[in-house]
C-alpha cells in the first residue's frame, strides 16, 4: 500500500501513531513492510491457507463476536442434507461435473427456504416445468452459465438472489448449521499447515492471530486492505471470500475502522465496474442477458423479482435503464425493448476475445487507454491477436506498444511476424488528458469526484466522450433511413447530447444527468427508491441515482475538510445514496444501540423514530429495529429491522455462500496452476473449475516441474503506472525508475550465479525476458513442503516504447483464469532464471523451445498469424 | 534611497539585528527575490481536479496561465489526500504537458511499413465505415435457434482512467451496435 497507494497509506500511518498494529502480509519486503509492526513473508498463492487458519483460530478458540455472528450472519442457517464438503470429497464440493469442470449448485442451498416467497417467479418462468425456486436460483446463480458468463461479477452491488429465507438455529448447535459446517471445513487449517504450505512460522502466525482477535469485538475493529495480490489468482474470488468470513466472524463489517478495503489500482476502475465496460454486465451490476436463459424481461427478472432485499426491485432498475437508452421507443407493449439487448451465450471476456482474434472471428478492435501488448497476461498472445485483425483503433496520450507491434514488436525481431504481411489497419487517435475534459472518476471507496476541464486539448486530441458521441452520431447518420431491423436499436437510441465550444464537445454534465435519471416530469431523481417498473422513470445507472439530485452535480461537491465532519459527506458523492460505510446498520446492535460508545457510528433514535448517526444510514431510515416482515413480504419489506445486509436476499452476511459462486460455497486452498509443490490438503491440486487454454503460445508448467523450479510474482512500483503509457513516457518518472529489474534473494543468486546489477534471463514455456538483477534480502527463501522455495519478483511496467524501455514481465505469464470473474493468475507462476542476457532473434524461439522439450511439453512450431483465417 | 533604506537592504545587517539569525529566511531576501512570484500566484485561474493515476482519488489543483497548464499541486481541502501527491501524482503536469504527447491522427494502412497522417474527420468517417461493414459481415440474428442480435466481429478494451460518463456512452453505443466483447482493465 505504501508503494502503490502512497497517499492513502498516510491514514495507516496515522492509525499507527494512535496505537494501531500494522501487519503486512506479502511475499516481498516493501516500503509497507518497512513501516509495519509485523511483516509476514509467505509463498505467493497460499493466502487461503493463511486466512483459513485465522478462521479456524477464531472458531476453535471461540473468539468470534457471537452476538453479531448470530444476528447478522448466516452462521445459524441450516444447510441441506445432501451437501458434501471438500473434507468428504477430497477437495471437491458436491455437484461437480468432471466432464465439463463445473458445479451444479443446488446442494449448496439452504434447507427448507420458504417456497411460497417466489411462487410468482415460478409462474413467470417460461420453461420451468414446475421446478422449485431453489432450482431457479441455482440455475440463475450457479452452474455452467454462471461460470461461463462470469456472472459472479454482478454481485458487485449485492449477493445472489435466493428465494425466501433459511431455517435458523440461533444456538449454532445443529450439525448442519453453517457455523458447524464452517468449523469442520476449516479444522485442518492449522498453524502447522500454514508453516508447511505458506512457509510462515507458527510463532509468526500466532502473533498475527492474537493481534487480530485482540483488536476485534465490541470495542475494537480490524480492517483488511487488499489489492490485486489477492485477486489475480485462479482462486482470487475465494481469497476475498475467506477474508469476508474472517471479518464477519469478528464483527468487523459495517463498522467504523472495519471492513475489507479493496485498494483498486486506477483512477476510475471502480467506476469502470459500476458503469461497466465489461462483457457480462449492464450498468449497476445488472447482468447482461443470456440467450438461453433470458428471452424476455419476465424471464430475466424472474429469479430476482420474487425475492427479498433491494434486488427485489430489479425490474424497476432494468426498465428504467431501457427507458434511458431507448426513450419513447421503449414501451410496456414491446417489453421496453428488452429484445434489443444483445445476448451472451458463454464467455466473451478479453482473453476469449484474443482467441477469437486468432481464429479470425473478431476483426475490429478498439483500445481506449489500454495497452494489452504490455499489460495483459501472455503479451505475445495479445500481439498475435492484434496482428490478425482487419482494423484496430488505438486511443491514448502517447505512442504505446499495442499501436506499434506491427513495426517493432518482439515478434518482428524473432521473425515470427513480418511487417508487410500484417493485414491490420491501425488508427492512432490522440486522447485528451484529465485536465482537458469534464467528467467523474469513482475512486476505490465508491466516491465519485468530478474533474473540471482546465484547458482545451491540443491539436486533434479529443476526449473519449467526444470520440464515442461523434462516432455514434456519424454511424447513425450513415444508417439513417435504413429499414433493416438490426439498425433500429441504433436509430432509436437516445443520442441527442448537447455539444459545447469549437470542438463540439458533448456535455459530460448532460450524460451525468442521464446516468442519474429523471421522473415523468423530467425532474432529476434523488434516490433509487423512486425508480418504477412502469416506464415512468428513466435512469442510466441505478446505483448512481442521486448523484445529480435536485439538478446539482453532487460529485463536484468540495466543501473543505476543515469545514465538515470526519466522515466528510460534502466532498464528492458515494454510491449508494452518499453512504460512506456500506451496511453501517451493523455498527449498532440488534436493538439499534451502538455496540460500544467507542465505535458508535449509526444508531436508532427512538424519539425521532429514525436511524441517525455520523453517516447516511445504509438502511431504510424509518424502519425500526423491532420491525418483522409480514408473511409474503417482498423486496426490502421482507427484511427485518435487524437485517443489516440489505442487498442480500436474507439480509445477512454470508459465511457460507449458498449461491453465486462457480467454485464452491466455501474457500478451499488449491495450489496455483503453476506451482512448485503439491497440495497437502486435498487430492485436488488446483481449482477444479478454473479456466485453462492449453494451446500453442500458451503452454503450462506441470506442478513441481524441475525445468521451471522457481516461483515468481509480478507487481508495481511507486514510480510507474501499470503498462507504462502514463509513466515510462515521462522524464521525471523514467529517471526515478529507469530499467526493468528482477528481485532475487542472496541464496537464489548464489544457487544460480546471478550478480547484483548484472543481467538475468527468466524463462517460461511462453518466452524468455531479460532483466537487471537486484540481489536483496527483501526476497526470502521459504521452507515449504520440506523444500526450499525461491521466489523471483518482477515489476511489470516495461515494454519497447517510451523513454525507459525493457522487456515486459507479462510475456512470461500464461492465460489461466479464475472461474468466477475470469481474472488471470498474474501473481503466482513458475519459471527458471539464469545469468546473462536473453538470446536475440530466432535464437530466442529455439531457447524457449529447448526448455519446453526438456519439460516434456509440446514442442510447438512458432505460431504464426493467419491461423484459422480463411 | 535613504541611508536607512540602504542599511536595511544589507543582508548581514538584517541577519544581525533581525530575528533571522541563520540568514536563511527574511534576512536573505533581495530586491531580486521580491520580484519573483510562484507560478501558482501568476495563474489566470485554478481548476479543481482529481489525480488520474491510482484509485485513491487525491485532489488536484490545476493552475492555468495563457491557456496552458503551468502547475498541478495537491488540493489541501481534500479530506482524502490533505494536499499530498505521490511521485506519480506530482508528475501529472509532465503527463499532460510533457514531451511525447501526440496531437495528430496517425494511420497505418494494411501491410504498410509506416504511419501516415490523416485528418481527424476523415479518420472518424473511415472508422464509422469499418464498424458498419464489420458489423454487417459478422452479424448473428440467432445462435442455436434463439435470438442473440449481436456481432462477435467487434471488440473493445478500455483503460480504467476513463470517466464514468465515457464508459456510459461506450456501453450504450456498443450495446446498440450489438457488440458484446466490451471489456476494461477492471477485468484484469
Amino acid at each position: 500500500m505504501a508503494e502503490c497507494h502512497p497517499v492513502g497509506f498516510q491514514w495507516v500511518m496515522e492509525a499507527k501513531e494512535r496505537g494501531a498494529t500494522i501487519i503486512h502480509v506479502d511475499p516481498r519486503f516493501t516500503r509497507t513492510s518497512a513501516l509495519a509492526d509485523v511483516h509476514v513473508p509467505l509463498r505467493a498463492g497460499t493466502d487461503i491457507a493463511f486466512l483459513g487458519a485465522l478462521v479456524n483460530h477464531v472458531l476453535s478458540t471461540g473468539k468470534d463476536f457471537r452476538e453479531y455472528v448470530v444476528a447478522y450472519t448466516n452462521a445459524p442457517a441450516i444447510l441441506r442434507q445432501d451437501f458434501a464438503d471438500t473434507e468428504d470429497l477430497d477437495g471437491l464440493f458436491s455437484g461437480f461435473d468432471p466432464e465439463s469442470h463445473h458445479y451444479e449448485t443446488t446442494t449448496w442451498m439452504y434447507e427448507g427456504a420458504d417456497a411460497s416467497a417466489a411462487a410468482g417467479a415460478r409462474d413467470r418462468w417460461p420453461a420451468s416445468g414446475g421446478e422449485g425456486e431453489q432450482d431457479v436460483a441455482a440455475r440463475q446463480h450457479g452452474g455452467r452459465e454462471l461460470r461461463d458468463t462470469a456472472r459472479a461479477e454482478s454481485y458487485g452491488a449485492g449477493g445472489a438472489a435466493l428465494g425466501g429465507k433459511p431455517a435458523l438455529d440461533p444456538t449454532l448447535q445443529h450439525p448442519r448449521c453453517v457455523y458447524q459446517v464452517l468449523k469442520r471445513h476449516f479444522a485442518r487449517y492449522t498453524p502447522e499447515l500454514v508453516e508447511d504450505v505458506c512457509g510462515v512460522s507458527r510463532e509468526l502466525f500466532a502473533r498475527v492471530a492474537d493481534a487480530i482477535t485482540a483488536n476485534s469485538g465490541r470495542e475494537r475493529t480490524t480492517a483488511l486492505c487488499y489489492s490485486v495480490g489477492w485477486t489475480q489468482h485462479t482462486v482470487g474470488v475465494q481469497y476475498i471470500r475467506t477474508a469476508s468470513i474472517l471479518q464477519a466472524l469478528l464483527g468487523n463489517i459495517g463498522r467504523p475502522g472495519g471492513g475489507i478495503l479493496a485498494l483498486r489500482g486506477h483512477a476510475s476502475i471502480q467506476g469502470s465496474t459500476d458503469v461497466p465496460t465489461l462483457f457480462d454486465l449492464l450498468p449497476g451490476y445488472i447482468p447482461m442477458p443470456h440467450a438461453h436463459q433470458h428471452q424476455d424481461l419476465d424471464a430475466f427478472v424472474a429469479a430476482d423479482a420474487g425475492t427479498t432485499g433491494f434486488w427485489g426491485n430489479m425490474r424497476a432498475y432494468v426498465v428504467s435503464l431501457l427507458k434511458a437508452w431507448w426513450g419513447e421507443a421503449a414501451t410496456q407493449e414491446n417489453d421496453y425493448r428488452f429484445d434489443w439487448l444483445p445476448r451472451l451465450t458463454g464467455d466473451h471476456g478479453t482473453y476469449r476475445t484474443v482467441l477469437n482474434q486468432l481464429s479470425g472471428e473478431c476483426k475490429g478492435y478498439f483500445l481506449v487507454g489500454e495497452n494489452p501488448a504490455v499489460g495483459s497476461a501472455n503479451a505475445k498472445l495479445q500481439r498475435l491477436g492484434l496482428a490478425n485483425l482487419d482494423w484496430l483503433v488505438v486511443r491514448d496520450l502517447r505512442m504505446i506498444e499495442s499501436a506499434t507491434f506491427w513495426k517493432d514488436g518482439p515478434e518482428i525481431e524473432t521473425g515470427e511476424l513480418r511487417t508487410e504481411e500484417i493485414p491490420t489497419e491501425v488508427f492512432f487517435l490522440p486522447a485528451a488528458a484529465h485536465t482537458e475534459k469534464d467528467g467523474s472518476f469513482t475512486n476505490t471507496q465508491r466516491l465519485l469526484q468530478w474533474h473540471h476541464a482546465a484547458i482545451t486539448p491540443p491539436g486533434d486530441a479529443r476526449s473519449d466522450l467526444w470520440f464515442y458521441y461523434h462516432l455514434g452520431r456519424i454511424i447513425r447518420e450513415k444508417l439513417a433511413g435504413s429499414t433493416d431491423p438490426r439498425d433500429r436499436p441504433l436509430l432509436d437510441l437516445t443520442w441527442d447530447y448537447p455539444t459545447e465550444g469549437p470542438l463540439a464537445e458533448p456535455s459530460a454534465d448532460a450524460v451525468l444527468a442521464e446516468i442519474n435519471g429523471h421522473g415523468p416530469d423530467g425532474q432529476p431523481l434523488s434516490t433509487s427508491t423512486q425508480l418504477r417498473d412502469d416506464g415512468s422513470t428513466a435512469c442510466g445507472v441505478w446505483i448512481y441515482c442521486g448523484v445529480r439530485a435536485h439538478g446539482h452535480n453532487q460529485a463536484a461537491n468540495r466543501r473543505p475538510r476543515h469545514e465538515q465532519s470526519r466522515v466528510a459527506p460534502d466532498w464528492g458523492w458515494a454510491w449508494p445514496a452518499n453512504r460512506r460505510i456500506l451496511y453501517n446498520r451493523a455498527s449498532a446492535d440488534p436493538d439499534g444501540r451502538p455496540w460500544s460508545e467507542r465505535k458508535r457510528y449509526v444508531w436508532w433514535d427512538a424519539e425521532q423514530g429514525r436511524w441517525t448517526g455520523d453517516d447516511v444510514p445504509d438502511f431504510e431510515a424509518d424502519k425500526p429495529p423491532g420491525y418483522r416482515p409480514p408473511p409474503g413480504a417482498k423486496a426490502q419489506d421482507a427484511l427485518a429491522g435487524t437485517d443489516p445486509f440489505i442487498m442480500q436476499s436474507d439480509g445477512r452476511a454470508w459465511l457460507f455462500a449458498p449461491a453465486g459462486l462457480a467454485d464452491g460455497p466455501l474457500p478451499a486452498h488449491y495450489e496455483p496452476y503453476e506451482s512448485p509443490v503439491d497440495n497437502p490438503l486435498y487430492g485436488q491440486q488446483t481449482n477444479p473449475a478454473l479456466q485453462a487454454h492449453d494451446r500453442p503460445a500458451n503452454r503450462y508448467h506441470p506442478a513441481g516441474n524441475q525445468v521451471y523450479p522457481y516461483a515468481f510474482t509480478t507487481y508495481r512500483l511507486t514510480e510507474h503506472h501499470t503498462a507504462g503509457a502514463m509513466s515510462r513516457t515521462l522524464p521525471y518518472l523514467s529517471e526515478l525508475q529507469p530499467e526493468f529489474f528482477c528481485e532475487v534473494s542472496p541464496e537464489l543468486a548464489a544457487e544460480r550465479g546471478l550478480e547484483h546489477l548484472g543481467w538475468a534471463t527468466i524463462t517460461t514455456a511462453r518466452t524468455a525476458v531479460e532483466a537487471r538483477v537486484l540481489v536483496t534480502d527483501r526476497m526470502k527463501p521459504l521452507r515449504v513442503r520440506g523444500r526450499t522455495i525461491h521466489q523471483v519478483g518482477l515489476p511489470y511496467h516495461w515494454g519497447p516504447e517510451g523513454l525507459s524501455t525493457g522487456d515486459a514481465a507479462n510475456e512470461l505469464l500464461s492465460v489461466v483464469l479464475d472461474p468466477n470473474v475470469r481474472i488471470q493468475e498474474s501473481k503466482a507462476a513458475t519459471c527458471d532464471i539464469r545469468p546473462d542476457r536473453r538470446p536475440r532473434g530466432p535464437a530466442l524461439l529455439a531457447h524457449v523451445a529447448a526448455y519446453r522439450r526438456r519439460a516434456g511439453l509440446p514442442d510447438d512450431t512458432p505460431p504464426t498469424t493467419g491461423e484459422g483465417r480463411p | 534611497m535613504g541611508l536607512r533604506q540602504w542599511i536595511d537592504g544589507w543582508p548581514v545587517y538584517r541577519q544581525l539585528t533581525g530575528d533571522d539569525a541563520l540568514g536563511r529566511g527574511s534576512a536573505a531576501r533581495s530586491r531580486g527575490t521580491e520580484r519573483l512570484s510562484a507560478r501558482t500566484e501568476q495563474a489566470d485561474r485554478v481548476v479543481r481536479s482529481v489525480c488520474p493515476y491510482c484509485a485513491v482519488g487525491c485532489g488536484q489543483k490545476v493552475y492555468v496561465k495563457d491557456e496552458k497548464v503551468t502547475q498541478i499541486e495537491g488540493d489541501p481541502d481534500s479530506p482524502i489526500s490533505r494536499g499530498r501527491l505521490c511521485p506519480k501524482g506530482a508528475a501529472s503536469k509532465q503527463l499532460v504537458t510533457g514531451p511525447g504527447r501526440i496531437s495528430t491522427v496517425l494511420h497505418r494502412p494494411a501491410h504498410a511499413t509506416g504511419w501516415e497522417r490523416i485528418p481527424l474527420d476523415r479518420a472518424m468517417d473511415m472508422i464509422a465505415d469499418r464498424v458498419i461493414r464489420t458489423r454487417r459481415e459478422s452479424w448473428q440474428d440467432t445462435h442455436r435457434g434463439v435470438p442473440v442480435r449481436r456481432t462477435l466481429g467487434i471488440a473493445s478494451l478500455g483503460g480504467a482512467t476513463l470517466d464514468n460518463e465515457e464508459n456510459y456512452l461506450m456501453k450504450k453505443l456498443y450495446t446498440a451496435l450489438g457488440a458484446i466483447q466490451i471489456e476494461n482493465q477492471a477485468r484484469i
Side-chain angles (χ1 to χ4, degrees), chain A residues 450 496-498 500 506-515 548, chain B residues 165:
Chain A
W450 193 261
D496 48 359
Y497 305 102
E500 300 159 349
S507 162
D509 191 56
V511 178
L512 187 71
E514 181 176 319
I515 287 172
R548 217 171 161 283
Chain B
E165 295 73 20

Side-chain angles (χ1 to χ4, degrees), chain A residues 370 425 454 486 494 718, chain B residues 45 88 130 135 172 185:
Chain A
E370 186 76 356
E425 181 184 23
R486 78 182 62 163
T494 56
T718 307
Chain B
R45 60 181 182 274
K88 290 193 288 286
R130 279 147 187 74
R135 176 176 182 259
K172 183 175 173 180
Q185 171 68 30

Side-chain angles (χ1 to χ4, degrees), chain A residues 801-835:
Chain A
E801 293 283 333
L803 300 171
S804 155
T805 60
D807 285 349
N810 277 317
E811 308 283 348
L812 296 173
L813 288 164
S814 70
V815 174
V816 59
L817 308 172
D818 176 287
N820 291 294
V821 290
R822 290 198 149 53
I823 288 183
Q824 75 290 339
E825 189 155 71
S826 308
K827 293 304 173 204
T830 57
C831 67
D832 189 24
I833 183 167
R834 301 272 175 179

Side-chain angles (χ1 to χ4, degrees), chain A residues 117-177:
Chain A
R122 195 159 60 234
D123 294 343
R124 285 200 293 270
W125 188 265
S128 64
E131 66 186 338
E133 65 162 15
Q134 293 209 353
D135 300 305
V136 175
R139 195 140 58 82
Q140 289 284 331
H141 299 283
R144 193 169 192 167
E145 284 80 11
L146 174 129
R147 184 199 63 179
D148 288 350
T149 60
R151 197 172 304 150
E153 205 156 30
S154 68
Y155 312 131
L162 291 178
K165 298 174 100 177
L168 302 174
D169 172 20
T171 69
L172 307 184
Q173 295 308 308
H174 191 290
R176 279 186 285 112
C177 81

